Amino acid sequence: MQVQVRGRGVRWWVTFGTIVFGTLFLVIGLILAGVSVSFLANADRARGTVVALEWRSDDDSGASRKRRVNDESAAYPVVEFTSADGQRRTFRDSTGSKPPAYEEGERVEVLYRSDSPEDARINGFASLWLLPLIFGGIGLVFAGIGTAVALVTRRRS
């Protein structure tokens, strides 16, 4: 199937929309990166242990699963650590993977806010930088393509 776009107006709007979409995603990626940087700057560190893996899939309705349900499941590490106030705390990391990135019993470094210890993350690439890179990368690609098309179109006219 071949689609033919007629008129400069439609091409201009498609190009403009691509640039706007890419810029929006790039801004979201930069905001998420800023959140991670801010979290790192204010975070306390503790040693933690992965005590369980929760297997979840997109169709789970919030109910945790302790074992693999189907091939679409991802393993989310459940980590236990002791905060600076001496309390033992447990959290489920927000980043799951298949195959599991961590094993039960594995020691990990935990980052948490001292004023809000329940806001904790594993000190790892995926937990801190995966979303900013995905959004920023998609944004750069779309904004770059849109800008290149706009420049080529402008030179031809």
Side-chain angles (χ1 to χ4, degrees):
M1 183 170 121
Q2 191 174 17
V3 177
Q4 200 170 22
V5 178
R6 290 197 168 100
R8 294 174 87 177
V10 173
R11 272 185 260 153
W12 184 85
W13 279 108
V14 170
T15 303
F16 179 73
T18 303
I19 293 170
V20 168
F21 177 81
T23 303
L24 177 66
F25 265 61
L26 184 58
V27 167
I28 291 170
L30 290 172
I31 289 169
L32 291 171
V35 168
S36 288
V37 168
S38 172
F39 183 82
L40 283 170
N42 299 317
D44 288 340
R45 298 170 188 271
R47 296 296 299 163
T49 304
V50 177
V51 294
L53 295 175
E54 284 187 6
W55 289 92
R56 302 181 70 146
S57 64
D58 290 338
D59 60 354
D60 284 348
S61 59
S64 65
R65 310 250 173 154
K66 297 283 186 188
R67 58 185 169 77
R68 186 177 300 211
V69 177
N70 59 35
D71 289 338
E72 297 175 9
S73 297
Y76 292 81
V78 177
V79 179
E80 187 175 88
F81 70 101
T82 303
S83 58
D85 62 5
Q87 296 242 344
R88 294 203 61 72
R89 307 204 182 258
T90 304
F91 73 96
R92 180 179 60 88
D93 198 51
S94 60
T95 307
S97 62
K98 178 186 164 192
Y102 303 96
E103 296 178 6
E104 286 187 37
E106 186 174 344
R107 306 267 304 161
V108 294
E109 184 176 35
V110 175
L111 301 171
Y112 69 96
R113 296 188 191 272
S114 58
D115 59 341
S116 177
E118 58 278 351
D119 182 18
R121 300 180 196 173
I122 294 175
N123 187 8
F125 176 80
S127 297
L128 297 169
W129 303 111
L130 187 61
L131 277 179
L133 280 176
I134 289 172
F135 277 92
I138 290 171
L140 278 175
V141 168
F142 275 88
I145 289 171
T147 302
V149 168
L151 291 174
V152 167
T153 303
R154 187 172 184 170
R155 283 188 186 161
R156 286 187 181 170
S157 56

